[in-house]
Amino acid sequence: MKASKLISTRSVTTKLMTTASIGALLFGLSAAAQADNWRYAHEEYEGDVQDVFAYAFKEYIEENSDHSVQVYRFGELGESDDIMEQTQNGILQFVNQSPGFTGSLIPEAQIFFIPYLLPTDEETVLTFFDESKAINEMFPELYAEQGLELLKMYPEGEMVVTTDEPISSPDDMNNKKIRTMTNPLLSETYDAFGATPTPLPWGEVYGGLQTGIIDGQENPIFWIESGGLYEVSPHLTFTGHGWFTTAMMANQDFYDGLSDEDKELVREASDAAYDHTIEHIKGLADEALAKIQEASDEVTVTRLDEDQIQAFRDRAPQVEEAFLEMTGDKGAELLEQFKADLEAVTNE
């Protein structure tokens, strides 16, 4: 009787333990099934601004969920056009791409390449990106038309031109082959400046400068430093004509398929990454320039004065006209709002 009772008790205990173990296993499998590994590619090198943003996003996601984020840097999955195609096809969940490349897909995104539209003052630019209706309300609709959920647009730094000789006027640009992204409006800008715009993939820029295929290029100063471009293109000119802007987005089908909780998580992670990155870029240009000047005695730095800048600014209207021809009514509406937003932050 006692033995039978003991066996029966052990049997019940074993059964309960087995049930509990299976339950725990199933719970673990369920949790594992809900935890995804999201793939995120950007256009820059380790430690550059887009990389800082991507890793801040990754950190927030992984600290606040069971999901993980795999970040791919420049070249690991191809050039900018490649990673955009992979995102649209759903191979990547997230991508960071400059409007310089997105311009062929979303013509209105080329607005950032109208020279002298954005001010060069860092504080004003940052306020503009925070408060602009054009950026925070109108752009998401344009990206959605291409199957993309725009999560953040943010500035990376003032554009600086590097060349084989010092530049101080549009005349100095004559016949200079300046590398541009595959962006019609950027080509229009350098054509207006008197140069010969020469589209070239980013991976070929250093070699192109070294061999004389191109005579110059433009980029934020931190890219010029991290990519070593000053080594083969040592004359830096601050023309004051614009800021490099980028955008972080998701495949829209992927985003729409997320739970409300995960959508909120992605939005919060994007906000956190944006705040972190904006703090990161403050003073970044000065640090990068100091590193360049310390590394090379051949580097010259030209900061155009107001009269010199005006000579370039006088050529901007033809670029704005080209933008309106390329984008029609949508572009006109966006440009009008863009200017209104800029005026609002300038007068604050």
Side-chain angles (χ1 to χ4, degrees):
M1 185 79 170
K2 284 183 183 176
S4 172
K5 222 178 225 186
L6 185 61
I7 291 168
S8 176
T9 304
R10 280 180 180 166
S11 176
V12 169
T13 304
T14 304
K15 199 175 285 184
L16 287 170
M17 286 177 66
T18 304
T19 303
S21 299
I22 291 172
L25 178 62
L26 288 173
F27 177 79
L29 288 172
S30 174
Q34 291 172 8
D36 294 320
N37 180 50
W38 295 335
R39 294 176 295 279
Y40 179 154
H42 66 73
E43 306 168 307
E44 296 177 1
Y45 299 117
E46 181 178 357
D48 285 345
V49 174
Q50 289 183 22
D51 197 53
V52 168
F53 187 101
Y55 273 88
F57 178 84
K58 169 185 169 74
E59 184 178 329
Y60 189 95
I61 293 288
E62 293 179 353
E63 284 183 356
N64 292 280
S65 74
D66 292 327
H67 302 308
S68 58
V69 178
Q70 176 67 46
V71 175
Y72 299 92
R73 295 180 173 123
F74 173 78
E76 292 179 10
L77 296 177
E79 291 267 358
S80 291
D81 290 344
D82 299 314
I83 59 176
M84 174 55 78
E85 186 178 335
Q86 290 162 28
T87 305
Q88 288 186 296
N89 290 335
I91 297 166
L92 294 170
Q93 283 72 51
F94 300 100
V95 68
N96 214 132
Q97 189 183 65
S98 155
F101 292 106
T102 316
S104 55
L105 188 67
I106 304 168
E108 296 84 359
Q110 297 177 98
I111 195 169
F112 295 102
F113 295 93
I114 297 175
Y116 301 101
L117 184 59
L118 281 173
T120 53
D121 174 66
E122 185 177 271
E123 188 177 339
T124 305
V125 171
L126 298 183
T127 304
F128 170 72
F129 274 83
D130 274 342
E131 299 178 5
S132 168
K133 180 181 176 182
I135 286 178
N136 297 301
E137 295 180 26
M138 296 175 78
F139 265 115
E141 294 176 5
L142 293 168
Y143 276 70
E145 291 172 7
Q146 300 300 327
L148 299 164
E149 183 72 26
L150 180 62
L151 295 166
K152 282 293 173 189
M153 271 190 159
Y154 59 97
E156 294 195 43
E158 181 184 347
M159 297 303 279
V160 178
V161 181
T162 73
T163 46
D164 56 343
E165 298 174 320
I167 295 290
S168 61
S169 72
D171 288 344
D172 294 335
M173 285 274 197
N174 281 344
N175 301 317
K176 292 286 184 193
K177 298 186 293 293
I178 303 295
R179 178 263 175 176
T180 61
M181 292 176 274
T182 51
N183 179 299
L185 203 72
L186 186 56
S187 293
E188 188 75 32
T189 294
Y190 276 95
D191 187 54
F193 286 171
T196 302
T198 308
L200 202 65
W202 170 238
E204 298 175 25
V205 173
Y206 188 98
L209 291 166
Q210 193 172 35
T211 57
I213 292 172
I214 49 175
D215 303 310
Q217 61 83 50
E218 65 161 28
N219 261 307
I221 195 76
F222 76 86
W223 265 23
I224 294 166
E225 189 273 322
S226 69
L229 300 182
Y230 64 90
E231 298 166 351
V232 288
S233 188
H235 302 289
L236 280 57
T237 305
F238 286 76
T239 55
H241 72 278
W243 273 64
F244 188 86
T245 300
T246 193
M248 184 265 193
M249 63 211 90
N251 172 287
Q252 196 166 50
D253 288 340
F254 156 76
Y255 182 82
D256 289 345
L258 293 175
S259 65
D260 289 345
E261 184 182 358
D262 278 345
K263 282 178 184 171
E264 186 178 354
L265 172 72
V266 167
R267 289 283 175 188
E268 288 174 351
S270 303
D271 289 342
Y274 178 86
D275 292 343
H276 176 76
T277 304
I278 293 304
E279 284 304 310
H280 173 77
I281 67 173
K282 291 177 181 176
L284 182 63
D286 291 338
E287 291 173 23
L289 183 57
K291 288 179 184 177
I292 289 171
Q293 291 177 311
E294 187 178 342
S296 173
D297 294 332
E298 294 182 17
V299 167
T300 67
V301 178
T302 303
R303 295 183 184 272
L304 301 185
D305 62 30
E306 279 306 311
D307 289 340
Q308 291 171 323
I309 285 174
Q310 191 60 46
F312 284 95
R313 187 184 280 116
D314 287 343
R315 301 185 176 213
Q318 74 180 69
V319 184
E320 185 172 311
E321 188 178 325
F323 172 78
L324 293 171
E325 287 175 5
M326 290 175 192
T327 58
D329 291 342
K330 278 188 181 178
E333 185 183 353
L334 182 68
L335 182 58
E336 184 181 351
Q337 186 62 55
F338 211 88
K339 288 181 175 180
D341 294 341
L342 281 166
E343 188 176 349
V345 299
T346 305
N347 294 332
E348 281 182 358

